[in-house]
Structures are given as structure tokens and as C-alpha cells.
């Protein structure tokens, strides 16, 4: 892989990571609710989900998924329902009795659960799969082994996404001191819950690639 090809992917990866989506919303939500350190578990899960999507797209399975209307719709519906469920759960959740929800006795999800939430958020996002199927082939050459190229692209993408998602989480976590009272926490839950439900509902309108029709 030439430096020019890698740098082009680097620019594309930056634009992908910065663009608002379910991962960014989740990072900000958990950063604000639990703090940056605990949000890192969620972000780790997001990266694992992103890696799975890249492997699926790079292995060609993503093309089959996009080409199959039934398979695509199943993934789309599962992803949309999951985000709506996640958003609804946050919408109706009450703030903890303490000054912050990240107290050890508070309703903070375990590390494993936060990782799982992040993983499922990216892994069940058909929009991400469609995008990767469309983007990855542009940066992969048939004249070189596939695996090393996928590793380079995956490391680049994950590194950028880690920085961007932590930036989102840090920015949100920095507002914790301003949002300590129960009323502010309740409003926060409703705002992020509504956004997640909106993103989930928007997935129902995601279409397959026109070339796969």
C-alpha cells in the first residue's frame, strides 16, 4: 500500500469518525453520565464492533449482505430496534440518588456491559456496513496480499475513532460539574435517549446500495 493511498484513507477515516452518528451520541451520553474513564469501556466496545464491520466488509461478506434484501433488512431492523431500546431505556431511567450516577453503588453498567453496548451499537449498524463495503475496495489493491492491507486500514480507522470518540466523551464529561442536580440529570437522560431513538428510527430508512438492486 502506497503512502498516498494510506493518506487518502486517513482523511476519509477522519471524516467518518467526526461525522455525528450513534457511536458519537453513545460516547457523549456515557461520558456525561459516567465520566471519561468509564466511557472508555463503551468506546472499546465501539471499536470491537467497528473491527467486526471492517472484517465483514473486507472479507466480501458485506457485499453479500448488501446484495441480499432479506439479510440486509434483518440487520437493519435489529440495529434500529436495539438503538430505540437503548434510547428508551435511557429516556425512562431516573437519576441516581447520589450527586452523580458514576458512584460505585449507583446504576452504572458493569465494564462488560458497557463494552457490549458499544459493540452492539456498531456491529448492528447496517449503514456502517454499507459504507465500508463502498469505501474499502477503493483502498485495496489486488496486486498485494489482502490481510496486511486490512490490518493497516483497521489500525488506522480504530486509532482515529478512538481519539475522536474519547474527545466526544471528554467534552461531555467536562460538563458533569454543571449538571449534577437531579433535574439536569433527568433532562440529560431524556435528551440523549431521544437522540438515540431518533438515530434508531432513521435506520429504518437506510436503503441498500443502488448497485445491489
Amino acid at each position: 500500500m502506497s503512502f498516498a493511498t494510506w493518506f487518502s484513507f486517513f482523511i476519509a477515516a477522519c471524516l467518518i469518525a467526526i461525522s455525528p452518528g450513534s457511536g458519537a451520541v453513545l460516547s457523549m451520553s456515557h461520558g456525561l453520565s459516567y465520566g471519561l474513564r468509564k466511557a472508555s469501556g463503551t468506546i472499546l466496545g465501539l471499536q470491537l464492533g467497528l473491527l467486526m464491520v471492517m472484517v465483514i466488509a473486507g472479507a466480501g461478506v458485506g457485499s453479500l449482505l448488501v446484495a441480499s434484501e432479506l439479510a440486509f433488512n434483518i440487520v437493519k431492523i435489529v440495529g434500529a430496534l436495539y438503538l430505540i431500546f437503548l434510547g428508551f431505556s435511557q429516556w425512562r431511567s431516573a437519576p441516581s440518588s447520589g450527586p452523580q450516577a458514576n458512584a460505585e453503588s449507583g446504576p452504572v453498567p458493569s465494564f462488560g456491559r458497557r463494552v457490549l453496548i458499544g459493540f452492539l451499537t456498531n456491529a448492528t449498524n447496517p449503514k456502517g456496513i454499507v459504507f465500508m463495503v463502498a469505501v474499502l475496495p477503493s483502498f485495496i489493491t489486488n496486486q498485494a496480499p489482502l490481510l496486511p492491507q486490512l490490518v493497516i486500514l483497521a489500525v488506522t480507522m480504530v486509532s482515529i475513532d478512538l481519539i475522536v470518540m474519547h474527545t466526544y466523551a471528554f467534552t461531555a464529561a467536562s460538563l458533569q460539574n454543571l449538571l449534577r442536580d437531579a433535574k439536569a440529570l433527568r433532562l440529560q437522560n431524556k435528551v440523549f435517549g431521544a437522540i438515540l431513538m431518533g438515530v434508531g428510527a432513521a435506520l429504518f430508512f437506510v436503503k441498500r446500495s443502488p448497485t445491489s438492486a
Side-chain angles (χ1 to χ4, degrees):
M1 177 180 295
S2 67
F3 176 79
T5 299
W6 174 84
F7 188 73
S8 297
F9 180 79
F10 173 82
I11 298 299
C14 288
L15 295 176
I16 296 169
I18 294 173
S19 62
S22 55
V25 174
L26 189 64
S27 297
M28 289 187 289
S29 174
H30 282 200
L32 187 56
S33 297
Y34 313 134
L36 179 62
R37 185 173 63 86
K38 287 185 168 60
S40 293
T42 307
I43 295 171
L44 172 61
L46 287 172
Q47 304 318 306
L48 294 176
L50 179 61
L51 281 174
M52 192 189 81
V53 169
M54 292 191 72
V55 169
I56 288 175
V61 179
S63 299
L64 298 177
L65 175 63
V66 174
S68 170
E69 183 174 2
L70 176 60
F72 180 83
N73 284 334
I74 289 175
V75 174
K76 178 175 72 174
I77 292 172
V78 170
L81 291 178
Y82 176 71
L83 286 178
I84 291 173
F85 166 76
L86 205 61
F88 180 71
S89 297
Q90 182 157 0
W91 170 277
R92 65 188 295 271
S93 65
S96 65
S97 56
Q100 261 301 324
N102 62 354
E104 290 301 322
S105 59
V108 180
S110 66
F111 174 79
R113 179 167 176 77
R114 295 195 307 274
V115 171
L116 181 62
I117 289 173
F119 172 78
L120 291 176
T121 297
N122 268 350
T124 60
N125 185 357
K127 188 175 181 180
I129 296 175
V130 170
F131 190 85
M132 286 299 174
V133 169
V135 168
L136 281 186
S138 303
F139 301 96
I140 293 177
T141 174
N142 294 328
Q143 284 71 43
L146 175 61
L147 184 58
Q149 296 181 82
L150 280 179
V151 170
I152 292 173
L153 296 179
V155 170
T156 302
M157 185 76 210
V158 168
S159 298
I160 293 171
D161 203 63
L162 273 172
I163 294 172
V164 172
M165 292 304 112
H166 273 96
T167 300
Y168 278 129
F170 172 78
T171 302
S174 65
L175 300 176
Q176 279 188 332
N177 290 335
L178 301 177
L179 300 171
R180 283 183 176 273
D181 61 281
K183 183 178 179 180
L185 289 172
R186 192 177 297 110
L187 177 61
Q188 164 205 320
N189 286 339
K190 291 190 179 301
V191 169
F192 280 109
I195 293 175
L196 283 171
M197 286 189 285
V199 173
L203 283 184
F204 284 114
F205 299 97
V206 174
K207 303 296 183 181
R208 290 184 301 152
S209 171
T211 59
S212 62

